[in-house]
Amino acid sequence: MKRIWKILFVLLVITVFIVFAGGQKEAEANTKKVTIGNSATIWTLDGSIDSGGQSRNIYFHIYDNLYVRDRGDKWQSALALSHEIIDDLTWELSLRKGVKFHTGEEFTAKDVKFTIEHVLDPKSLSKWKAFIDLVDRVEVVDPYTVRIITKEPFPGLINNVALIPILSETAFKKMGADDFGRNPVGTGPYVFEKWVEGEYVTLRENKEHWRGAPPFEVVEFREIIDDFARVAALEAGDVDIIVNVPPDLISRINQKPNLVAQTVPSIRGMYVLIDTRCGPFKDVRVRQAINHFVDVNEFIEFVLGGTGAKPINNMVPPMYFGHNKDLPIEPYPYDPEKAEGLLKKAGYTEPFEIELYGPIGRYLKDRELAQVIEGQLEKHGFKVHYEGMEWGTYFTYMRTRQDVTDDKAVLFILGYGAPHYETITPWNEFLRTGSKVNLWQDEEFTKVLDAALTEMDEDTRISLINKGHQLIVERAPIIFLYQIGDAYAWNERINWTPRGDEMVWMLEASLKE
Amino acid sequence: MGTYILKRLGSAIFVFLGVSLIVFLCLRISGDPVELILPLGATQKHIEAARHSLGLDRPLYEQYGRLILNTFRLDFGNSIYYRQPVRALIFRRLPRSLILSSAAVVLAMLIAIPLGLLAGYKRHSLVDNLSTGIAISGQSIPSFWLGIMLIIIFAVKIDILPTGGSRGLQSLVLPTLTLSAIPLARFTRFLRSGVIDTLSQDYIRTARAKGVKESRVLLKHTLKNSIRPAFTDMGMTFGRLIGGAIVTETVFSWPGVGRLLMDGITYRDFPVVEGTAIVIAMIFVFINLIIDISYTFLDPRVVYK
């Protein structure tokens, strides 16, 4: 038996060696490095393809855009110094001189033309294409002047085109799309160094950047999809900043020394799309009643507590262009008595059955939101059938709903947020007659929307959007919910303040002295 | 033996055809990936152009035929999301999956062999109860919980290991511990049963009657004859872990093929799912072939004709 114990001892030693090989965790040697813990998968580093918020945060470091938003949501010049509207269809942009790509080649108007045309090329499958689909062509006037010609008046051109990172035409053509997506070349403050897909992207400072040397030598973005693991990585000092902090962990983080968690009002709004074509929801009074039955503040307080969410009276938060300031923020406050009165007026003496659909894992606490709405409506006698689905299935199901006509009362939970801040874009996608979803067919609203989409005079456009907003509030094609709060946490060795537009830009951060 | 191997490799073609057909059809039933790639504002023209660009407007038999032909050249097309050849994506991640799965299986075997042997040898003893406890815990504790607990203890509290990633041997430790929990439990139970069964055999009684040392009875006669079921299970488990360690890979940000496959399924990245599933299936077939062949070394009675 002695021999068995000897063998066992050797096995144990081997096991311990395997498990604890390497000894102590290496101390972070490079203090001029900042590491950001992302929660989303990074698909490509070709900035002209993906429009995801966390991918964009990487692109902001590798590339420059034509304009960049400041913390007051105003456009500041970046690669474009200024622009002029020549006529309703023509925009002329003056470009910054002396800017160099990471390859050393000079940035010129041909790179802007190439990037926009690449986005518009259907083969690129760029997510930006829908943002600038009204662009007809781009003309190079001289190396530092470019003209963008649109198919029809497109007042939101700058709000949309400014979101697209500008690529190096020469590098792209030399490398090809596949290679460029893994080895991007931009003019940004950081040069691409390494990407291990599914794990991290490392960027190194570009000392020659036109803004001057950036504050950190190295910026690293890590993919930590799991919420708890991301928080643990912050607590362990493996990362300095994390995004999408789960609401229930905010107070825990704030109790730790040197860590701080904070929420900011985000650019995303949550709402419930009502199928107004069928069943009881054809009647505007029923739609108004259902709004009064849902207690948004209860959900905000008990489920989103601490995330800074706020009720809104639109699909998107108030910072979007054309928000009607005269409308009450909570047009349908929780008021079951009023709701019952509205139902009675509409001829419904008894509550009815409702089908509620929602995505799972797409938005912060989306399943809980559905369950709370289900519970609140059932409390008032409605029989609610809730079904949660994975986003792909859900989206397809929602899109095909317009092909069905029945007597059901159907609701779809959705969220919308985009850095163009164009209120009419989500209206166009979800609320117009003939939209892809097409569950509200209101001719008056669609007429106002169509006029706003092509109105070049800013004041007239604002008044049109205000009118559209008023119609939405009055006719309630949605259940008005809330503006999400974005939660961030960071190590106090970094001087940094989170922004509401999901931008995590290390040019706005520094190491604490 | 050579004929047997050739026959097994031949049967792998049918496995490939079966797997590819099931995956191909399931993906097409799941819906149109274009709806997920393009933003909501995309026009119908834009959608149709994207479908054409991805070859999704072609008849199903043509799409499947293309998949089969291209697979023989190890060309699974380009990922819809990554915009890169799927082959390159898989082969960049496969080594990490193989390392993690191998480490988990080796660790499980290293602990399970002595534990299962002693548990079977000393039935109803402390060691046996301990092995039962490990087996039940290993199979019932969810991977995500175990992973998070290990991170909190070793990366946050004691601070000796990284929370995640795949940089260096240190980062392998916690995912290996997490991933080995289930195989450890299974091997231990398989081995314990095998040992109990073997110890009741006549040849063990004969060996003891001949005065063979107990350690020799255990290690030479008992272990060798008890390990085969556990060894078979190890092969199957190893194959499963390569593509199935999704939770562990997610918790520890370990960039293996499991997460690649999961992302592919979530976002309907058809080429990624097809390529990854086929490669994993082929590895599974290959591992099982190796296991079958290794029986001839473990048990001389096994002869393949």
Side-chain angles (χ1 to χ4, degrees):
Chain A
M1 282 300 284
K2 272 186 185 172
R3 206 173 149 198
I4 292 178
W5 291 116
K6 273 185 195 167
I7 291 166
L8 281 177
F9 181 72
V10 171
L11 287 173
L12 191 68
V13 169
I14 294 169
T15 309
V16 170
F17 174 76
I18 288 175
V19 173
F20 291 104
Q24 290 283 311
K25 185 158 76 173
E26 280 176 34
E28 197 65 70
N30 192 346
T31 53
K32 286 287 274 179
K33 174 181 174 180
V34 63
T35 308
I36 297 128
N38 272 350
S39 64
T41 301
I42 302 303
W43 305 106
T44 174
L45 297 180
D46 176 347
S48 67
I49 300 297
D50 194 7
S51 60
Q54 294 182 32
S55 299
R56 293 181 66 229
N57 282 335
I58 300 177
Y59 306 156
F60 281 128
H61 294 83
I62 301 173
Y63 305 93
D64 283 308
N65 294 34
L66 291 172
Y67 291 93
V68 64
R69 276 195 202 274
D70 63 18
R71 286 176 172 268
D73 296 331
K74 297 274 180 288
W75 289 119
Q76 298 298 329
S77 77
L79 290 180
L81 293 171
S82 62
H83 60 267
E84 189 185 346
I85 302 174
I86 306 289
D87 58 48
D88 278 1
L89 301 181
T90 311
W91 300 63
E92 188 170 283
L93 284 79
S94 299
L95 305 177
R96 189 177 292 275
K97 293 177 184 170
V99 177
K100 289 208 158 82
F101 283 104
H102 301 153
T103 49
E105 179 212 356
E106 194 174 4
F107 156 77
T108 63
K110 73 177 178 52
D111 299 298
V112 177
K113 177 179 162 68
F114 167 76
T115 303
I116 294 173
E117 286 176 350
H118 175 59
V119 165
L120 291 171
D121 180 357
K123 284 184 198 151
S124 75
L125 293 176
S126 170
K127 291 195 175 186
W128 295 116
K129 180 172 160 58
F131 290 65
I132 59 162
D133 227 8
L134 288 178
V135 171
D136 181 47
R137 62 187 190 280
V138 184
E139 291 174 357
V140 173
V141 179
D142 64 49
Y144 303 105
T145 311
V146 67
R147 275 189 180 179
I148 301 175
I149 294 103
T150 61
K151 294 170 192 162
E152 52 189 82
F154 183 18
L157 176 76
I158 293 299
N159 286 344
N160 286 281
V161 83
L163 303 175
I164 303 169
I166 301 300
L167 318 182
S168 157
E169 180 187 14
T170 312
F172 189 96
K173 286 185 172 168
K174 193 175 165 189
M175 296 160 101
D178 294 353
D179 196 16
F180 190 88
R182 286 188 51 76
N183 299 285
V185 176
T187 58
Y190 287 88
V191 181
F192 168 74
E193 189 169 277
K194 191 176 183 188
W195 180 26
V196 175
E197 287 146 15
E199 191 180 345
Y200 65 90
V201 177
T202 308
L203 313 174
R204 189 163 286 281
E205 65 181 334
N206 172 15
K207 288 181 182 165
E208 308 301 317
H209 190 247
W210 55 271
R211 291 178 198 269
F216 296 96
E217 286 171 12
V218 176
V219 175
E220 190 167 286
F221 291 87
R222 288 199 196 164
E223 271 183 43
I224 312 175
I225 309 293
D226 186 271
D227 287 345
F228 290 96
R230 205 162 53 253
V231 173
L234 178 75
E235 289 181 7
D238 288 356
V239 297
D240 299 301
I241 297 172
I242 57 169
V243 304
N244 287 343
V245 179
D248 33 348
L249 293 179
I250 290 174
S251 60
R252 174 194 152 114
I253 292 170
N254 279 324
Q255 285 164 9
K256 305 272 176 193
N258 306 323
L259 297 184
V260 57
Q262 197 175 310
T263 61
V264 283
S266 80
I267 57 172
R268 192 172 298 280
M270 295 297 296
Y271 60 95
V272 179
L273 193 65
I274 302 174
D275 183 354
T276 66
R277 308 163 308 122
C278 305
F281 290 140
K282 277 184 194 167
D283 192 313
V284 64
R285 290 166 297 188
V286 180
R287 302 199 296 267
Q288 290 169 339
I290 213 78
N291 264 284
H292 280 301
F293 276 126
V294 173
D295 187 354
V296 180
N297 288 303
E298 185 185 54
F299 178 75
I300 291 175
E301 187 180 344
F302 292 106
V303 183
L304 297 177
T307 58
K310 292 174 187 168
I312 49 172
N313 59 7
N314 194 355
M315 297 165 78
V316 287
M319 81 267 270
Y320 279 59
F321 183 80
H323 174 80
N324 189 333
K325 295 183 182 106
D326 298 331
L327 295 169
I329 279 294
E330 287 188 74
Y332 300 99
Y334 178 61
D335 190 343
E337 279 178 28
K338 193 172 180 184
E340 276 162 18
L342 282 163
L343 274 188
K344 275 184 192 153
K345 275 186 196 167
Y348 290 91
T349 48
E350 293 291 323
F352 44 83
E353 289 192 14
I354 293 174
E355 289 184 8
L356 171 66
Y357 298 95
I360 294 176
R362 173 81 176 177
Y363 310 110
L364 181 69
K365 301 279 180 192
D366 47 14
R367 191 201 298 253
E368 288 84 347
L369 172 64
Q371 287 165 344
V372 168
I373 293 174
E374 181 186 21
Q376 289 177 346
L377 294 177
E378 288 198 332
K379 194 168 82 180
H380 296 291
F382 293 95
K383 192 170 169 54
V384 182
H385 306 278
Y386 161 58
E387 195 175 335
M389 301 177 201
E390 157 282 315
W391 174 249
T393 313
Y394 175 71
F395 186 66
T396 305
Y397 185 79
M398 185 178 63
R399 284 255 290 114
T400 51
R401 173 69 196 166
Q402 62 178 294
D403 305 327
V404 180
T405 312
D406 50 30
D407 288 327
K408 290 179 179 172
V410 181
L411 303 172
F412 293 99
I413 293 174
L414 276 172
Y416 190 92
H420 50 55
Y421 290 7
E422 288 279 348
T423 315
I424 51 176
T425 304
W427 293 356
N428 195 33
E429 290 168 6
F430 291 94
L431 296 183
R432 71 172 292 129
T433 306
S435 75
K436 271 170 113 182
V437 180
N438 203 21
L439 298 182
W440 188 41
Q441 290 155 3
D442 187 297
E443 292 308 321
E444 187 183 356
F445 172 78
T446 302
K447 213 171 153 185
V448 172
L449 174 60
D450 282 344
L453 281 166
T454 52
E455 177 55 59
M456 294 297 283
D457 178 72
E458 191 165 303
D459 291 338
T460 314
R461 192 165 173 245
I462 288 173
S463 68
L464 284 166
I465 297 172
N466 277 193
K467 173 70 181 162
H469 192 178
Q470 190 186 341
L471 289 173
I472 290 171
V473 166
E474 282 170 9
R475 297 176 188 183
I478 59 173
I479 300 176
F480 300 94
L481 294 180
Y482 55 87
Q483 171 184 20
I484 292 178
D486 279 340
Y488 298 87
W490 64 97
N491 191 313
E492 285 185 313
R493 83 180 186 96
I494 308 290
N495 276 319
W496 180 68
T497 310
R499 300 170 51 132
D501 59 0
E502 298 177 357
M503 186 177 183
V504 177
W505 200 27
M506 287 303 101
L507 292 195
E508 296 177 329
S510 63
L511 271 178
K512 210 165 248 180
E513 293 299 326
Chain B
M1 176 69 91
T3 318
Y4 173 77
I5 293 172
L6 279 178
K7 270 188 190 170
R8 286 289 300 267
L9 289 175
S11 71
I13 292 175
F14 293 101
V15 174
F16 155 65
L17 288 173
V19 168
S20 60
L21 186 62
I22 291 168
V23 171
F24 177 85
L25 290 176
C26 286
L27 282 172
R28 266 63 187 179
I29 291 167
S30 75
D32 188 348
V34 170
E35 289 201 337
L36 295 182
I37 306 166
L38 301 179
L40 290 163
T43 59
Q44 196 55 36
K45 200 176 144 196
H46 189 184
I47 291 169
E48 278 162 19
R51 296 191 85 249
H52 178 72
S53 170
L54 295 169
L56 296 169
D57 56 346
R58 297 193 185 114
L60 278 184
Y61 66 85
E62 194 184 321
Q63 291 180 43
Y64 182 65
R66 197 177 287 265
L67 170 69
I68 296 298
L69 287 176
N70 288 342
T71 301
F72 282 111
R73 293 180 291 163
L74 274 182
D75 175 8
F76 302 107
N78 264 29
S79 158
I80 298 173
Y81 280 85
Y82 283 98
R83 317 294 167 104
Q84 289 171 48
V86 172
R87 179 175 57 186
L89 281 172
I90 294 174
F91 289 131
R92 272 199 295 272
R93 292 192 180 218
L94 194 57
R96 285 185 172 84
S97 286
L98 290 172
I99 288 169
L100 181 58
S101 306
S102 308
V105 168
V106 168
L107 179 64
M109 290 298 272
L110 281 174
I111 301 172
I113 289 174
L115 201 60
L117 191 63
L118 283 176
Y121 181 62
K122 300 227 178 231
R123 280 177 82 181
H124 309 305
S125 67
L126 183 68
V127 178
D128 192 19
N129 291 338
L130 182 71
S131 87
T132 307
I134 289 176
I136 292 171
S137 309
Q139 287 196 303
S140 56
I141 293 176
S143 299
F144 70 88
W145 186 85
L146 179 61
I148 292 294
M149 285 302 114
L150 289 172
I151 287 175
I152 290 173
I153 295 166
F154 292 103
V156 179
K157 299 286 180 198
I158 308 177
D159 197 19
I160 55 169
L161 292 166
T163 49
S166 67
R167 282 181 275 199
L169 202 55
Q170 278 184 309
S171 55
L172 184 62
V173 176
L174 296 182
T176 303
L177 280 173
T178 307
L179 201 58
S180 64
I182 290 177
L184 167 63
R186 291 173 64 92
F187 299 164
T188 308
R189 298 313 287 169
F190 272 118
L191 196 59
R192 178 187 177 274
S193 307
V195 168
I196 290 169
D197 186 46
T198 310
L199 285 174
S200 67
Q201 298 295 317
D202 289 344
Y203 58 83
I204 297 292
R205 202 175 304 122
T206 308
R208 281 173 170 160
K210 281 167 67 183
V212 177
K213 275 172 125 184
E214 194 63 10
S215 58
R216 192 174 166 81
V217 170
L218 259 187
L219 290 178
K220 186 171 168 67
H221 300 289
T222 311
L223 181 60
K224 197 172 173 186
N225 288 299
S226 312
I227 206 166
R228 198 173 137 182
F231 197 64
T232 308
D233 190 63
M234 183 197 74
M236 304 287 278
T237 305
F238 182 64
R240 270 198 297 271
L241 292 184
I242 289 173
I246 295 164
V247 174
T248 307
E249 287 180 8
T250 303
V251 169
F252 292 101
S253 305
W254 186 272
V257 288
R259 253 192 68 202
L260 181 67
L261 182 61
M262 190 64 209
D263 283 343
I265 292 167
T266 307
Y267 295 96
R268 294 189 196 146
D269 196 337
F270 287 2
V272 164
V273 181
E274 288 162 353
T276 314
I278 289 169
V279 168
I280 291 171
M282 291 300 104
I283 290 173
F284 206 85
V285 168
F286 181 71
I287 289 169
N288 278 288
L289 178 62
I290 300 286
I291 296 282
D292 285 351
I293 293 168
S294 67
Y295 286 158
T296 55
F297 300 102
L298 280 174
D299 188 346
R301 289 171 300 179
V302 177
V303 178
Y304 295 116
K305 290 179 182 172

